[in-house]
Amino acid sequence: MSRWMVWLLVISLPLTVIGEWLHWSEILLFWLACLAIIPLAGLMGQATESIAILSGPRIGGLLNATFGNAVELIIGFFAIRQGLVQVVQASLTGSILGNLLLVAGLSFLIGGIRYPIQTFNRLAAGTNASMMLIGVVIALVIPAIFTLQRPAIGVELSVGVAAITWVLYLLGLFFSLFTHRNIFNYAQDLPDEEAPWGMARSVGVLVVATLAVAYESEILVGTIEHVSKAFGWSDVFIGVIVVAIIGNAAEHSSAVLMAWRDRMDVSLEIAIGSSLQIAMFVAPLLVFTSLAVGNPMTLVFSWPEIAAMVLGVALITLLSLDGKSNWLEGAMALGAYVIMGIGFYLI
Amino acid sequence: MSRWMVWLLVISLPLTVIGEWLHWSEILLFWLACLAIIPLAGLMGQATESIAILSGPRIGGLLNATFGNAVELIIGFFAIRQGLVQVVQASLTGSILGNLLLVAGLSFLIGGIRYPIQTFNRLAAGTNASMMLIGVVIALVIPAIFTLQRPAIGVELSVGVAAITWVLYLLGLFFSLFTHRNIFNYAQDLPDEEAPWGMARSVGVLVVATLAVAYESEILVGTIEHVSKAFGWSDVFIGVIVVAIIGNAAEHSSAVLMAWRDRMDVSLEIAIGSSLQIAMFVAPLLVFTSLAVGNPMTLVFSWPEIAAMVLGVALITLLSLDGKSNWLEGAMALGAYVIMGIGFYLI
Amino acid sequence: MSRWMVWLLVISLPLTVIGEWLHWSEILLFWLACLAIIPLAGLMGQATESIAILSGPRIGGLLNATFGNAVELIIGFFAIRQGLVQVVQASLTGSILGNLLLVAGLSFLIGGIRYPIQTFNRLAAGTNASMMLIGVVIALVIPAIFTLQRPAIGVELSVGVAAITWVLYLLGLFFSLFTHRNIFNYAQDLPDEEAPWGMARSVGVLVVATLAVAYESEILVGTIEHVSKAFGWSDVFIGVIVVAIIGNAAEHSSAVLMAWRDRMDVSLEIAIGSSLQIAMFVAPLLVFTSLAVGNPMTLVFSWPEIAAMVLGVALITLLSLDGKSNWLEGAMALGAYVIMGIGFYLI
């Protein structure tokens, strides 16, 4: 973890505790919680990564692919408990768009400034594109269009869709970690990575950071309404842009770093793998959780959210299917992200 | 024809005749007609195939490409005469989805269990994908969106679209059987297939089976309303799932068998070729017939039907464009089929 | 310029002047203006081309890519000043569809009659496809869907989207003319083209032809309403089909000629490059101009226009991504153009 992340943590975490105790303004608490979650998410990521390396490639891959977006899951849980279902949907949208367009776009652009053309695994890109089509596009368009005719079926249909995408995600893991591991074998070409920490320390860090994230998430969720009133921002804008970015900032920076080192496969694995994880693992879990908690969240997203995600998937599919990237492709993905950001800001 | 198909025929066909004579319940008659049509469709397919082999590759290809879905056409004709236009649209939707997702999905999955990666003709896949884009996506989206603004133009626009897609289908046959036959030449690499029957017997079987299918279709169509009331199923669900499956069951099983034998080209030709035939040959003919009969059927499908077909085409295009398949791709196509099936069941 | 174009010019230009002076019927004036603009657009194109050749490949490429659709811009300017915002949107739609489907379709078809399979630059096709996705699809779908929820944001959102697509277009030029010129280097493989005219004559012709186009455009725009009443055509149909074709007819014929000579790269560069120019350079400029003039034009197009453009882009992307074409692909593109033409005629 870089030095400024440590400083961010050391300053913002105690301040949130003090601030909550002294009843500081909700708006201040919201931003403090945001700032605290960024390095905590980084810590959790590093601890998970460390445990994954120590557990060998298969169990490690499984760990990364299931706990990699734990922060999203925790924030989503508290938001659902508060009944902020729209904010959760918006933050899922924002995470998917952020990973697909912002992270992949920055990676293409930054890497493309240094290398005229960068290449990556076409086969993996094809499998990922098909998974995104079913996990993002089909899983969101079908509920939205079928409930136009009969809104009452929203919950049932969402549960069915969530169950199937969840199973497909697990089958996808089985495919990439077991039956067709050789297609995704770029990890084996890398120099042996050493785990930064031992197992005991990693587990300890993971547990403590998770508890701290849960604490901060509760504050964040509890203050969203005040921020939305004070700044005149919609819940959706806060979810799509603010909440989505803080949960992924640490991961984002490492994707861009990998692009700069011409390891575009790793970059794209972070960007696209993380989108898939949110759409096919986190979102279904939140649907099931929401039913258990009694505030049912459906997969019936708003049309702007659906349009943005479908177009984002289409753009990244087109940009990645040829297995090559350049700076202009990065600029296009970023341009699309800005266009959508303006849209979500204005509505 | 396999032994159990013969038994199915020998039992269900006489029972429908007796049942109609003795005025058995409509629901029983519906299921008997369903069971009778499955082997009859298989017989018709085998007779057509046999005549096609005896007629040489060009005339044979033409025969397969025009009479291959005669059962659909016959059921559609009786349903239109009864005014069940929505059921016809639903059964067209169901046939296209069933061929694209269920048959291709099962073929990818079953073949993929035996072989890690199966390959097929990329060039043919590309031509097929473009044909599906125009014959399914454009031909369905344009009427639906343009009639939003002026519903009155539905019939005229549908006739225009039907005429153009029909001509394109014939041009496509001319392309694959004459001017660019070498691209589609996998049939020539096969060991010489022998026609199972002689010409006279084939024509005889075809005529008798066609008459029997017509008889059973009339019963099927006449009892649909009772079934939909008794089971609480919508006309659309019966059309999409039940009617669509019985008309194609025999064909479906041979596609999967071919995948198991690693002849994925033949599998995909059945799955995608049959979808194209229904969308670009059968559907236009039914539009023209419906005008002649006086119960005009448009190409203005419902939004759930359109969404399901557009997404199905997109998924199969993405899965087939690289000319390779594996079991996960099969699972994805089946997952999409189940998601859509749940949707049609719930509305 | 071919002989009949010269004759067209020599007859129609003086007749418009005389006709306006003698107050001939508006309908006659409309058709005279149409006929005059076709050769004038051709002259402007030839003069621009000539200056481009004399200026070297980079400045020349820049000139072609910015002044290549000046006629569209001039007609659009006068139509916006008259408040005919819908006609401008329709003519933009028509130009994009005409270039994508009519020109590319004719090129594929005519070239495909002579050569069984023609090939072209796959890399350029991929970059163009991504640009069309962002410049046509995203730039049109996002405003239309986001304003469903809040119509008031139409102008602001359109300005934002226009600004970003405009910048992306310029970045695309920088990419193809400077940083990645070698990908687009087919122009260098051609035999050295000689400029038909010297610099002074080219500039002179350009200035005179531009003035004449401006004169004719004002007449054209002023008489559209009468034509739409007299023929019972909607403004949209006139914009999509009539206005769009006359502004591009000269260019269209040279694209088809290039296909006939098996220089499909040049053909596609004209067809797709021109579409991109209209969507990402001309349309944004007209949005900005419309604000300055006080008749704000948004990028919120009608659903039929959006559907037609999205499907057109999808079809051309699918047809061009493999870097190969044949006559059937041409027939498909033309079929799609006719389907859409029927639709726009009927509404």
Side-chain angles (χ1 to χ4, degrees), chain B residues 89-249:
Chain B
Q89 290 184 326
S91 78
L92 293 171
T93 305
S95 295
I96 293 172
L97 287 180
N99 277 302
L100 282 187
L101 297 178
L102 183 60
V103 178
L106 278 175
S107 301
F108 286 168
L109 182 66
I110 301 288
I113 286 172
R114 198 161 167 194
Y115 309 92
I117 287 182
Q118 295 183 290
T119 57
F120 44 87
N121 191 328
R122 282 184 65 172
L123 276 167
T127 301
N128 281 334
S130 309
M131 283 297 248
M132 282 196 291
L133 182 56
I134 191 158
V136 181
V137 179
I138 294 182
L140 294 176
V141 170
I142 293 290
I145 286 191
F146 280 63
T147 52
L148 279 183
Q149 232 165 298
R150 266 191 73 183
I153 65 173
V155 173
E156 278 175 278
L157 184 51
S158 298
V159 170
V161 171
I164 291 164
T165 51
W166 205 70
V167 169
L168 281 177
Y169 185 70
L170 299 183
L171 289 175
L173 289 184
F174 186 65
F175 179 83
S176 62
L177 296 174
F178 294 85
T179 71
H180 287 63
R181 222 183 124 204
N182 53 324
I183 294 182
F184 294 83
N185 67 349
Y186 43 85
Q188 299 167 336
D189 304 341
L190 304 179
D192 282 296
E193 278 184 279
E194 273 197 46
W197 305 324
M199 185 57 102
R201 186 170 166 196
S202 301
V203 172
V205 168
L206 187 58
V207 170
V208 172
T210 304
L211 290 174
V213 162
Y215 171 77
E216 297 286 348
S217 297
E218 208 171 353
I219 293 175
L220 182 85
V221 164
T223 54
I224 278 182
E225 300 273 283
H226 298 87
V227 173
S228 97
K229 265 184 213 145
F231 288 78
W233 292 347
S234 66
D235 281 12
V236 173
F237 179 71
I238 296 180
V240 169
I241 305 296
V242 182
V243 176
I245 285 182
I246 60 163
N248 296 295

Side-chain angles (χ1 to χ4, degrees), chain C residues 260-298:
Chain C
W260 181 249
R261 294 192 189 146
D262 203 16
R263 285 164 62 183
M264 196 49 91
D265 271 320
V266 182
S267 264
L268 274 183
E269 179 55 32
I270 294 175
I272 297 183
S274 190
S275 302
L276 283 175
Q277 194 177 136
I278 286 162
M280 303 181 79
F281 186 79
V282 173
L285 277 185
L286 287 175
V287 168
F288 303 143
T289 309
S290 76
L291 284 177
V293 169
N295 282 332
M297 180 182 87
T298 66

Side-chain angles (χ1 to χ4, degrees), chain A residues 177-243:
Chain A
L177 296 175
F178 293 86
T179 71
H180 286 64
R181 222 184 125 203
N182 52 324
I183 294 182
F184 293 82
N185 67 349
Y186 43 85
Q188 299 169 335
D189 304 340
L190 304 180
D192 282 296
E193 278 185 280
E194 271 196 47
W197 305 324
M199 185 57 102
R201 188 172 163 192
S202 302
V203 172
V205 169
L206 187 58
V207 170
V208 172
T210 304
L211 290 175
V213 162
Y215 170 76
E216 298 284 348
S217 297
E218 208 171 354
I219 292 175
L220 183 86
V221 164
T223 54
I224 279 182
E225 301 271 284
H226 297 89
V227 173
S228 98
K229 265 184 213 145
F231 287 78
W233 293 348
S234 67
D235 281 11
V236 173
F237 179 71
I238 296 181
V240 169
I241 305 295
V242 182
V243 176

Side-chain angles (χ1 to χ4, degrees), chain A residues 123 126-134 138 317 321, chain B residues 100-101 104-106 108-109 118-122 125 129 132 264 268 272 311-336:
Chain A
L123 276 168
T127 301
N128 281 333
S130 309
M131 283 297 249
M132 281 196 292
L133 182 57
I134 192 158
I138 295 182
T317 297
L321 268 188
Chain B
L100 282 187
L101 297 178
L106 278 175
F108 286 168
L109 182 66
Q118 295 183 290
T119 57
F120 44 87
N121 191 328
R122 282 184 65 172
M132 282 196 291
M264 196 49 90
L268 274 183
I272 296 182
L311 294 172
V313 167
L315 184 60
I316 288 301
T317 297
L318 208 47
L319 294 180
S320 68
L321 269 188
D322 66 351
K324 283 177 190 146
S325 70
N326 55 58
W327 67 263
L328 181 63
E329 297 192 348
M332 288 191 222
L334 291 176

